[in-house]
Amino acid sequence: MPRGHKEPHRLESVNWLRAAVLGANDGIVSTASLVAGVASAHTAHGSVVLTAIAGMVAGAMSMATGEYVSVSSQRDTEKAALVQEQAELDADFSREHQELTAIYVRRGLDMPLARQVAEKLMEHDALGAHARDELGISGINSARPLQAALASACSFATGAALPVFVAALAPEPVLLPSIAVSALVSLAALGGLAARAGGAKVGPGVIRVVFWSSLAMGASSGVGVLFGAVA
């Protein structure tokens, strides 16, 4: 007798991986650019390290705050949609059954089977069926503000830790090249990882992240040189 099995779909884990990689990218780029700008202004080494730590903390908190507010708004929208859907079910159950049936017909089922599927699912969990198939809300993609905020803060801080450590350990004469090289190598690796996780070509992903990150650090260095000279 054949044994049942569950195919290992990894869509949810891939999405989390890509989000974590993007957060780490932000941490590396923003903190390395900040360090490059301050160091280019010939600031004392201790002040550069302090700036890097402050940038890491501020960036992580900013990411957490922004993600919490954004996902909370999404959650409120989902809750309002579910309340409205429940009211529609209470007001006209048969009409909602027809609506769900029409959804399944558009997805390829013939009318008798679509009607039967809609009936069985609504007998089991009418609101859940409409939330999933009409509104696109499910347990996998429903909004979780605290989880999203914590994940964003941790991924940003993880990425930002690299330029912080380099700023603390690298001798002052080679601080700028050390920051640039370590940041770009790490970003190239993360860009390749993000591309592979999404099933895209690795080369273009690496080139994009390295190019734009180099531009960001170069612009920050230019600001540091300009204002350092003025000071």
Side-chain angles (χ1 to χ4, degrees):
M1 179 177 179
R3 298 175 60 185
H5 71 281
K6 183 178 180 180
E7 295 182 3
H9 297 294
R10 299 181 297 172
L11 180 60
E12 183 180 5
S13 61
V14 167
N15 287 337
W16 273 107
L17 176 60
R18 294 184 67 184
V21 169
L22 290 174
N25 276 348
D26 287 343
I28 296 173
V29 173
S30 60
T31 308
S33 298
L34 182 62
V35 170
V38 174
S40 296
H42 304 292
T43 307
H45 188 258
S47 297
V48 173
V49 176
L50 179 60
T51 300
I53 296 173
M56 178 179 69
V57 174
M61 294 304 297
S62 176
M63 289 283 289
T65 301
E67 195 72 10
Y68 182 83
V69 171
S70 174
V71 178
S72 293
S73 297
Q74 178 187 343
R75 182 185 59 180
D76 293 342
T77 301
E78 289 178 355
K79 285 183 176 180
L82 291 174
V83 169
Q84 180 181 349
E85 191 63 35
Q86 184 63 63
E88 293 173 356
L89 286 165
D90 295 338
D92 195 343
F93 193 86
S94 62
R95 182 178 181 278
E96 292 300 304
H97 176 267
Q98 295 172 3
E99 189 176 50
L100 195 61
T101 299
I103 291 173
Y104 296 144
V105 169
R106 289 195 298 271
R107 292 181 181 178
L109 299 182
D110 56 43
M111 179 61 74
L113 180 58
R115 187 180 293 114
Q116 184 180 9
V117 170
E119 181 180 353
K120 291 297 183 181
L121 289 177
M122 290 182 69
E123 285 179 0
H124 175 68
D125 181 6
L127 181 59
H130 280 269
R132 180 181 60 253
D133 294 321
E134 181 183 352
L135 304 177
I137 300 172
S138 68
I140 292 178
N141 60 16
S142 60
R144 299 180 178 89
L146 285 175
Q147 184 183 55
L150 181 61
S152 294
C154 290
S155 61
F156 183 95
T158 300
L162 172 70
V164 169
F165 285 134
V166 173
L169 299 176
E172 190 170 351
V174 295
L175 177 57
L176 273 175
S178 298
I179 286 288
V181 170
S182 61
L184 292 177
V185 169
S186 300
L187 287 165
L190 287 173
L193 179 61
R196 183 177 293 275
K201 293 183 179 180
V202 173
V206 171
I207 292 172
R208 279 195 298 267
V209 71
V210 169
F211 173 78
W212 290 107
S213 301
S214 299
L215 189 62
M217 285 187 282
S220 299
S221 296
V223 171
V225 170
L226 177 62
F227 283 90
V230 171

